[in-house]
Amino acid sequence: MNISLCFFARFREQLGVQQELYTLPKECNGHELLAQLAQRGNKWHELFDNPTGVLVAINQEMATLDSIIKQGDEVAFFPPVTGG
């Protein structure tokens, strides 16, 4: 199952990648995807091991980590932001 991953702000800066194609063995939720990415180690573990610092959008709509990710979805990761 192929999906597209997009990385914004500190995720893009620290990983050095803006977008990548990613293969999932089956449909999963955001928590499961974060766990898979954290298993890559090093910076990936630092960024994705703690879900409280990660916001997710699926197909350009805000989603929760409980949302199901399906074939062909675009999943974007970005940090929480505050306004003033």
Side-chain angles (χ1 to χ4, degrees), residues 1-83:
M1 184 172 107
N2 295 316
I3 62 172
S4 177
L5 303 178
C6 300
F7 305 99
F8 294 95
R10 69 181 166 101
F11 296 97
R12 180 180 61 223
E13 293 165 8
Q14 291 184 25
L15 297 172
V17 62
Q18 181 174 341
Q19 187 172 12
E20 75 170 272
L21 294 177
Y22 188 76
T23 301
L24 290 170
K26 61 180 179 140
E27 287 184 4
C28 70
N29 66 28
H31 289 287
E32 294 167 316
L33 178 56
L34 288 184
Q36 289 179 34
L37 295 175
Q39 288 178 358
R40 289 179 165 183
N42 298 323
K43 294 281 184 195
W44 294 89
H45 186 267
E46 291 174 25
L47 291 168
F48 294 106
D49 189 49
N50 181 3
T52 59
V54 181
L55 292 179
V56 177
I58 299 175
N59 299 323
Q60 300 181 5
E61 291 194 22
M62 291 302 299
T64 69
L65 292 176
D66 293 322
S67 299
I68 300 298
I69 300 164
K70 301 176 186 143
Q71 168 66 30
D73 281 349
E74 175 191 81
V75 182
F77 299 100
F78 50 98
V81 295
T82 60

